[in-house]
């Protein structure tokens, strides 16, 4: 059962792998993008989870404003949770992959 579902994102808890699973299916920006990431963090906190799987295959590019927000505001909050492992399925779109690469690199550094 989905914890959060919109036209562009579904967030679920998977008991079999004890992970939050985010499946981005379309472009989202601003409040929509940010609410989705925040809902994922809430699910991490609810389950005291260590694992996060983000399926970005169908995700569109992340705007520079949302990239900045993710780095400045979301990542610090994510690093304070119980999350220890993050797996990312890269976007099909090369342009979208480029917008995600910087965000992934920062996570790897943590």
């Amino acid at each position: 059962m989905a914890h959060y579902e919109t036209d562009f994102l579904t967030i679920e808890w998977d008991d079999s792998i004890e992970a939050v699973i985010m499946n981005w299916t379309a472009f989202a920006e601003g409040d929509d993008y940010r609410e989705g990431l925040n809902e994922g963090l809430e699910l991490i906190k609810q389950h005291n989870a260590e694992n996060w799987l983000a399926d970005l295959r169908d995700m569109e590019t992340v705007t520079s404003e949302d990239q900045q927000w993710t780095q400045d505001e979301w990542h610090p909050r994510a690093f304070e949770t119980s999350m220890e492992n993050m797996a990312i399925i890269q976007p099909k779109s090369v342009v979208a992959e480029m917008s995600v690469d910087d965000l992934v690199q920062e996570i790897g550094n943590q």
Side-chain angles (χ1 to χ4, degrees), residues 4-58:
Y4 178 83
E5 192 166 16
T6 66
D7 293 340
F8 54 85
L9 172 65
T10 302
I11 303 172
E12 302 175 287
W13 172 253
D14 187 318
D15 276 323
S16 66
I17 60 173
E18 296 185 340
V20 169
I21 299 178
M22 298 187 80
N23 184 17
W24 291 91
T25 56
F27 178 73
E29 68 178 323
D31 290 341
D32 290 336
Y33 169 85
R34 296 168 191 198
E35 181 178 322
L37 283 179
N38 287 332
E39 286 292 330
L41 273 189
E42 287 305 312
L43 198 53
I44 284 282
K45 292 174 186 176
Q46 284 178 19
H47 289 275
N48 199 32
E50 296 179 357
N51 303 311
W52 177 288
L53 172 61
D55 185 342
L56 310 181
R57 285 178 284 194
D58 296 320

Side-chain angles (χ1 to χ4, degrees), residues 39-95:
E39 286 292 330
L41 273 189
E42 287 305 312
L43 198 53
I44 284 282
K45 292 174 186 176
Q46 284 178 19
H47 289 275
N48 199 32
E50 296 179 357
N51 303 311
W52 177 288
L53 172 61
D55 185 342
L56 310 181
R57 285 178 284 194
D58 296 320
M59 184 181 202
E60 300 293 328
T61 190
V62 178
T63 67
S64 59
E65 292 84 7
D66 288 333
Q67 288 179 36
Q68 195 65 51
W69 173 86
T70 304
Q71 291 173 335
D72 294 345
E73 297 188 33
W74 190 82
H75 281 163
R77 289 186 288 124
F79 297 146
E80 292 175 357
T81 69
S82 57
M83 181 172 41
E84 293 184 13
N85 306 300
M86 181 178 278
I88 297 173
I89 301 172
Q90 290 285 15
K92 294 175 192 171
S93 159
V94 173
V95 174

